Amino acid sequence: MTARRAVVAPPEGLRGLLLDIDDTLLSTREAMREAGAAAALSLWPHSGPGLAKAAGRRYHCDPQGHFRAFTRGELDLDSMRRHRVREVADWMGASCSESDVARWKGVFDEVFGAVLVVFDDVLPTLQRCRESGLPLAFLTNASADYTWVKLQRCGLAELVREREIPVITKDTLGVGKPAPAVFEHAAQALGFAPSQVAHIGDELDVDPLAALAAGMGAGWVRRPGYEVSAPELATAAEHGLAPLPGLHEAVSALIVQDAGGFGSAASAR
């Protein structure tokens, strides 16, 4: 599929852009896996590096869907994290007390913040949007406090404040993506209708497909090393989407699809 057909432009032209944060702007997956491995090894040193690494992957993958329950408003942040830690412990056959959960969080947060980075194409692409006069908002399913910690650790918080970029989190409405109300609220934060906005993100169902369902345009980013299944590819193709390797490619494809309307009604931020 060519770049021109890899994204779907907003029905009324591209006037605003919503960007997912985790694994679209920031290396969240790898940071979570590394932090989870360090936390597992700290709590259960007998497990060894190999099993600890697998535990970090399992914590990130969240096979019981606790993070999705959090985004639906069914769990608070602390409960969600507790459930995930204890699921990993059960999988490892290890005991896990409340103090163990607290220790996990401490080690995890320290390592996560130390290794989390902004992808190389993000700052140049954000600058391109600024120079083109395209308003931006960040849209994430993470909590507000944790999101700001991540932005600060990666050096994006100052840019967000300076450019007055809205940051819509799960806490904004009490639920996260794929709820249509979240996309509608984010579009309103930019001063546009959903039909004038595109959303770019990495999770097919809660990012581009949910954006399309909300009447927006969409782009799907899957960075190198991030898995894409055959069913996902087929579903994406049915909706006019294909995975793109970075934010730069997704924004560029949307500009091409918009055929000259890019930023024409927007004021630079």
Side-chain angles (χ1 to χ4, degrees), residues 23 28-29 32-33 55-62 84:
D23 297 311
T28 304
R29 182 188 75 165
M32 285 188 68
R33 291 181 175 185
R57 290 196 301 270
R58 188 172 184 88
Y59 181 83
H60 168 259
C61 291
D62 186 23
R84 291 174 77 169

Side-chain angles (χ1 to χ4, degrees), residues 162-163 170 207:
E162 175 191 339
R163 301 186 185 178
K170 180 262 179 184
D207 286 312

Side-chain angles (χ1 to χ4, degrees), residues 36-114:
L41 196 58
S42 175
L43 264 65
W44 308 294
H46 62 278
S47 63
L51 185 57
K53 185 176 181 180
R57 290 196 301 270
R58 188 172 184 88
Y59 181 83
H60 168 259
C61 291
D62 186 23
Q64 293 184 351
H66 298 304
F67 184 76
R68 292 291 179 101
F70 166 72
T71 65
R72 294 191 298 268
E74 298 167 6
L75 292 174
D76 61 30
L77 178 63
D78 287 341
S79 297
M80 180 270 292
R81 297 186 74 185
R82 182 184 302 109
H83 284 314
R84 291 174 77 169
V85 174
R86 287 185 166 171
E87 192 281 328
V88 170
D90 288 345
W91 174 76
M92 295 179 69
S95 61
C96 185
S97 65
E98 281 297 308
S99 61
D100 289 331
V101 172
R103 284 177 55 205
W104 173 290
K105 291 179 180 179
V107 175
F108 183 96
D109 289 348
E110 181 178 358
V111 175
F112 180 79

Side-chain angles (χ1 to χ4, degrees), residues 19-42:
L19 301 177
D20 173 53
I21 294 178
D22 296 310
D23 297 311
T24 301
L25 306 183
L26 308 181
S27 63
T28 304
R29 182 188 75 165
E30 296 310 315
M32 285 188 68
R33 291 181 175 185
E34 188 169 339
L41 196 58
S42 175

Side-chain angles (χ1 to χ4, degrees), residues 176-189:
K177 301 173 286 185
V182 174
F183 292 94
E184 293 164 5
H185 178 87
Q188 290 171 1

Side-chain angles (χ1 to χ4, degrees), residues 163-194:
R163 301 186 185 178
E164 299 180 346
I165 298 173
V167 179
I168 295 91
T169 72
K170 180 262 179 184
D171 294 345
T172 302
L173 297 181
V175 296
K177 301 173 286 185
V182 174
F183 292 94
E184 293 164 5
H185 178 87
Q188 290 171 1
L190 290 176
F192 300 111

Side-chain angles (χ1 to χ4, degrees), residues 90-257:
D90 288 345
W91 174 76
M92 295 179 69
S95 61
C96 185
S97 65
E98 281 297 308
S99 61
D100 289 331
V101 172
R103 284 177 55 205
W104 173 290
K105 291 179 180 179
V107 175
F108 183 96
D109 289 348
E110 181 178 358
V111 175
F112 180 79
V115 301
L116 186 69
V117 297
V118 181
F119 289 114
D120 290 342
D121 65 340
V122 170
L123 291 178
T125 305
L126 296 183
Q127 182 60 25
R128 179 186 185 188
C129 293
R130 176 182 174 86
E131 292 170 353
S132 301
L134 184 68
L136 301 173
F138 294 167
L139 178 57
T140 176
N141 274 350
S143 67
D145 289 345
Y146 210 63
T147 295
W148 279 106
V149 168
K150 289 185 284 189
L151 294 176
Q152 289 167 350
R153 291 290 182 92
C154 292
L156 285 181
E158 184 176 348
L159 181 148
V160 167
R161 293 190 182 100
E162 175 191 339
R163 301 186 185 178
E164 299 180 346
I165 298 173
V167 179
I168 295 91
T169 72
K170 180 262 179 184
D171 294 345
T172 302
L173 297 181
V175 296
K177 301 173 286 185
V182 174
F183 292 94
E184 293 164 5
H185 178 87
Q188 290 171 1
L190 290 176
F192 300 111
S195 56
Q196 297 171 309
V197 175
H199 173 64
I200 297 173
D202 71 296
E203 291 190 82
L204 181 62
D205 59 341
V206 302
D207 286 312
L209 294 186
L212 293 178
M216 292 184 172
W220 182 28
V221 169
R222 293 298 283 178
R223 293 188 177 272
Y226 285 62
E227 302 83 1
V228 178
S229 69
E232 284 181 314
L233 287 174
T235 300
E238 291 173 1
H239 290 83
L241 296 166
L244 293 169
L247 185 66
H248 168 76
E249 290 82 0
V251 170
S252 296
L254 279 167
I255 293 171
V256 171
Q257 281 284 59

